[in-house]
Amino acid sequence: MAKIVIEGVRKSFGGFTALDGIDLEIRSGEFLVVVGPSGCGKSTLLDLLGGLSRPTGGRILLDGKPVTGPGLDRGIVFQQYALLPWRTAQGNVEFGLEATGVPRRQRGARAREFLDLVGLSGFEDRHPHELSGGMRQRVAIARALAYDPDVLLMDEPFAALDAQTRESLQDELRRIWQSTGKTVVFITHGIEEAVYLGQRVAVMTSRPGRIKEVVPVSFGECDALLGEALRSSPEFARFRHEIWTLLHDEVARARQLEKEAVAA
Amino acid sequence: MTTGTDITAMAAAGVRTPAPRAGTVPESVPRDLSGNGTGNGDEFGTGSETEAGSGSGSGSGNESGSVATAAPEAGAPGRGAAAALKAVRALKAVFVRTVAVLALIALWEVAPRAGLVDATFLPPISEVAVAWWELAGDGQLAEHTQASLTRSLGGFGIAVVVAVPLGLLIGWYRPVAKVLGPLLEVFRNTAALALLPVFVLLLGIGETSKVSIVVYACVWPILLNTISAVGNADPTLVRLARSMDLSTPRLFQKVILPASVPAVFTGVRLAGAVSILVLVAAEMIGAKAGLGYLVNASQFNFAIPQMYAGIITISAIGVAFNQLLVTVERRLSLWRVPASS
Ligand SMILES: Nc1ncnc2c1ncn2[C@@H]1O[C@H](COP(=O)(O)OP(=O)(O)OP(=O)(O)O)[C@@H](O)[C@H]1O
Ligand SMILES: [Mg+2]
């Protein structure tokens, strides 16, 4: 059953059209990755899904009902971390729990559990400015996971991480997704990341943002593989190349458009 | 939006200009700034056209307190050298922080005695100290100090209680802030003392007009800093709270309020300095007690050492008050990204 249905969604800011004619269905429990050139409207799309802004045209259904605003059934991991600087890592994770009304006594333990999950035990009492960029991002991920939303909306959550941390968190996210059955919409710039994580990869066009193609990713008998074994399989390389080709033209076009915009 | 009192007033009151800050949370790039102001009104957001990153008059005032951190630790055996080094460093810090004041005192003592200045108008500081001691001994100093502190702390307190909630309210309703902005600028830039005759005219020459002028002068820095603090709250954090479906009061309590505390307190600190500045001047004009009166009356009676004793007391109170507020401000702003990094 479709968890999220996006129907002919358009979003413009003043006269500028950021998204146009987006049609997409996301199944319940699906892991969908969105890739696209910078500025194509990925974050804008995520905002719409999160209910933080309304589409200019078209509509978005969640469980069959139109999205009219934000809700705790959707957890957003923002591209800019969005940590409360006056709260510790622990306090930031608890922030989400407070919103959902988890009893005070359980919050501490739950927050620690999820900080541990993202490899941050021992950093509970640090404030964001005492954490590295990657650590901050992990706190934001722990916060979104801790309050247990049905749908996870993640905006380039691993962009600021080093390769090792990124890969281990990718595995962790896959594991969490498999064990919890959450629906995940995951935005990234990384083609490898898209192929590694996504069941389907939606490739977007640049300006205005449209869905160019949705590539189903499946590795047949290799599906059980993890890490390097999967990344080095010929199937993986094939998908990567396919998406790379789709993106390549768009990135080139986006550059061209940007140049023209500057020149104009 | 610019905030804070005007620079000259701050300098006169001995307050350092707060270091400009790029923004509250440098790593967060604000998005979706269009808000509702553009007229399409289709956002769920607060519609705040937040100018994140506009330097508000809010530094944490790094001017003091470095001495305490350099206290020598109880050295374990073998750590003796390190401890000694630390002690030396602590001494050096104390020296750096006091040398200029000590030099001033020395100059004040020497210059009149050496005949560089007229000792009638600037008696050596030792004579001033004696006069101060006498004033303290016969209870006059306590009486005047009490009169002044009651007025300035009273006015300051009223200003805080009035201006902080008002500023939060105005800051939250962006259209209101926009409409009132120019008016507030006018009031802020009207020197409070210029209005003293008006206050006297309306409220008489008694306590009411003195406390009122302190309230008036203190309200603006607090109000303006509070308004801009609310306006400058990181839009990403507001979006985060919105995404969690926080109600507006909760959003205010959990995001806007804590985010505003440092900038609000900077306003409070500026107001603290202003309260003394304005009061002393007011006391010189029509009062029968207070430190401003003491200074003025002493000059009138040609009791020059007493006059200087009064001045020194005023500046000591100013420094102590500011120090206290800086300490509280620092406590409340610990989470702020250090300016250097
Ligand atoms: N609130 C807004 N007002 C005006 N224009 C906006 C607003 N938000 C986004 N845009 C514009 O919409 C386009 C898409 O922005 P968006 O942030 O969604 O891109 P993105 O795909 O997430 O880019 P990146 O990969 O760099 O994060 C951009 O051209 C941006 O300038
Ligand atoms: Mg983005």
Side-chain angles (χ1 to χ4, degrees), chain A residues 11-14 43-44 47 51-56 68-72 74 76 78-87 95-96 98-99 127 129 136 143 147, chain B residues 24-25 27-32 34 38 40 42-45 234 236-246 254-256 258-260 334-338 341:
Chain A
K11 176 71 182 174
S12 29
F13 301 101
S43 300
T44 306
D47 273 8
L52 290 170
S53 61
R54 269 187 200 161
T56 317
T68 52
L72 286 164
R74 283 150 289 157
I76 307 184
F78 289 94
Q79 192 170 0
Q80 310 93 357
Y81 319 147
L83 298 184
L84 308 168
W86 54 89
R87 288 195 177 206
F95 182 72
E98 290 162 23
H127 282 88
H129 73 91
R136 287 177 208 169
R143 176 175 60 198
Y147 72 85
Chain B
T24 35
V25 183
E27 70 269 18
S28 59
V29 183
R31 292 184 66 255
D32 211 348
S34 72
T38 50
N40 48 357
D42 58 348
E43 308 284 332
F44 289 114
D234 187 347
T236 324
L237 297 183
V238 175
R239 275 152 45 81
L240 169 78
R242 290 266 174 228
S243 83
M244 290 180 173
D245 218 8
L246 253 60
K254 294 197 180 228
V255 177
I256 307 288
S260 311
L334 278 182
W335 51 266
R336 279 218 167 185
V337 189
S341 68

Side-chain angles (χ1 to χ4, degrees), chain A residues 13 16 18 38-44 79 156 189, chain B residues 31-33:
Chain A
F13 301 101
F16 172 79
S38 181
C40 75
K42 302 184 295 295
S43 300
T44 306
Q79 192 170 0
E156 305 192 26
H189 274 128
Chain B
R31 292 184 66 255
D32 211 348
L33 296 183

Side-chain angles (χ1 to χ4, degrees), chain B residues 282-302:
Chain B
E283 284 175 343
M284 289 185 168
I285 289 170
K288 295 188 182 62
L291 291 168
Y293 163 79
L294 174 69
V295 170
N296 214 33
S298 306
Q299 190 254 19
F300 195 72
N301 298 327
F302 221 70

Side-chain angles (χ1 to χ4, degrees), chain B residues 5-184:
Chain B
T5 49
D6 67 82
I7 302 295
T8 45
M10 281 159 52
V15 181
R16 310 265 174 95
T17 315
R21 228 4 106 61
T24 35
V25 183
E27 70 269 18
S28 59
V29 183
R31 292 184 66 255
D32 211 348
L33 296 183
S34 72
N36 286 346
T38 50
N40 48 357
D42 58 348
E43 308 284 332
F44 289 114
T46 56
S48 58
E49 293 174 43
T50 317
E51 316 154 31
S54 75
S56 63
S58 53
S60 49
N62 306 327
E63 60 260 272
S64 70
S66 55
V67 182
T69 56
E73 63 183 14
R79 292 263 177 94
L85 204 73
K86 251 189 165 172
V88 169
R89 224 179 280 153
L91 276 177
K92 204 172 149 192
V94 170
F95 177 76
V96 167
R97 292 173 52 76
T98 50
V99 64
V101 177
L102 292 175
L104 176 71
I105 290 174
L107 189 69
W108 193 342
E109 185 64 32
V110 171
R113 289 194 188 283
L116 294 174
V117 293
D118 190 340
T120 329
F121 298 125
L122 185 67
I125 194 164
S126 53
E127 281 180 32
V128 175
V130 170
W132 189 89
W133 190 248
E134 282 166 1
L135 283 173
D138 65 12
Q140 275 194 66
L141 196 64
E143 181 201 326
H144 291 301
T145 304
Q146 200 199 342
S148 287
L149 280 184
T150 310
R151 290 169 189 148
S152 72
L153 290 182
F156 171 77
I158 292 170
V160 170
V161 170
V162 169
V164 172
L166 195 63
L168 292 173
L169 216 65
I170 296 175
W172 182 245
Y173 294 101
R174 300 292 300 188
V176 180
K178 266 197 173 157
V179 171
L180 290 183
L183 191 65
L184 298 179

